[in-house]
Amino acid sequence: MESHPFLTDDLGISQVDENSPIPLYQQVRIELIGMLQSGKLKPGDMLPSEMDLAKAYHVSRQTIRRAIGLLASENHLERTPGRGTTVIDGKSRLKFFLDQSFAEQIISMGLMPHSEVLRKKITTIDGTSPSPLHPKMGSQALELYRLRFGDEFPIGVQYTIIVTDLCPDLHTQDFEKASLYNLLLSRYKLLVARIDHTVSAVFPDEWHKNLLKVTDTSPLILVNTTAYLDNDEPIEVSTSYYRADRYEFSISKNY
């Protein structure tokens, strides 16, 4: 049966904040991402028309078009002339885009993201911290280690250190469901403007083999990232190990 577009009332849309430093199209994008994360919008669902969304958000149709265009470029949505905008199904060949948050990556694969928090500890940036964070020496930080899932399938382990000078209560957030980058943007108005990556392949040690349910001969993708705010200050460094037997990784620059 062909699906029909959601009505805006069914989505519980929140009006944008015109006084926020976050651009209007980004506010719309963030809320739509939240609907994908919560399962309110599922693969195959159709969005309301651009005109109806513009009325619901009290923004221009161009603002909606820009938000939807960005989500389409990130492989969350597909626009079909004469039909509308549809949430994309998972792909047969799963693919990560390293400049998206983990939650966005997993949603674009048609899976539901969630995490198991292995460690959450308030700390201080010092000489033992990753070198990209040394300019923030003495700053408060949060150590966050998570086992990341798509549906019930373990996909990766992430070891993250976040500078929390500008988000001091970050440790109170629920990181079993929350996306770090979306939290930084939506709650703390901190825009991650650049992410640097290095990618290599490693074989798992006993710890990662047990966590990710892989064998000694199954390679892992090792990804080191440093995230910067729009003032070029570092805010987050992470080391991540991902299963490489079923996943294809690529980098898409779109800031």
Side-chain angles (χ1 to χ4, degrees), residues 40-166:
K40 183 178 289 187
L41 286 172
K42 299 180 176 64
D45 288 342
M46 293 186 66
L47 265 61
S49 69
E50 290 181 358
M51 185 173 295
D52 287 343
L53 286 171
K55 290 179 180 178
Y57 280 108
H58 291 262
V59 298
S60 69
R61 190 169 177 179
Q62 180 62 31
T63 296
I64 298 297
R65 186 174 294 119
R66 188 172 182 185
I68 289 176
L70 185 57
L71 290 169
S73 72
E74 295 168 344
N75 294 303
H76 297 309
L77 304 175
E78 183 177 57
R79 294 187 289 190
T80 304
R83 183 169 183 266
T85 302
T86 308
V87 179
I88 291 178
D89 288 317
K91 301 174 178 63
S92 57
R93 175 64 172 175
L94 302 183
K95 191 172 189 178
F96 273 133
F97 291 89
L98 295 179
D99 58 347
Q100 296 176 358
S101 73
F102 177 85
E104 293 177 9
Q105 295 167 11
I106 293 301
I107 290 168
S108 73
M109 291 157 49
L111 304 175
M112 182 58 65
H114 67 96
S115 302
E116 176 185 338
V117 175
L118 306 175
R119 177 185 178 90
K120 187 167 67 170
K121 179 184 176 182
I122 297 173
T123 185
T124 302
I125 302 299
D126 59 21
T128 65
S129 302
S131 58
L133 296 180
H134 284 184
K136 304 297 292 183
M137 200 79 72
S139 293
Q140 188 180 74
L142 176 67
E143 289 183 356
L144 182 64
Y145 301 170
R146 289 175 291 175
L147 179 61
R148 315 304 300 270
F149 292 84
D151 291 341
E152 299 306 313
F153 190 80
I155 287 177
V157 185
Q158 290 185 321
Y159 306 93
T160 306
I161 302 179
I162 310 106
V163 179
T164 56
D165 286 350
L166 300 176

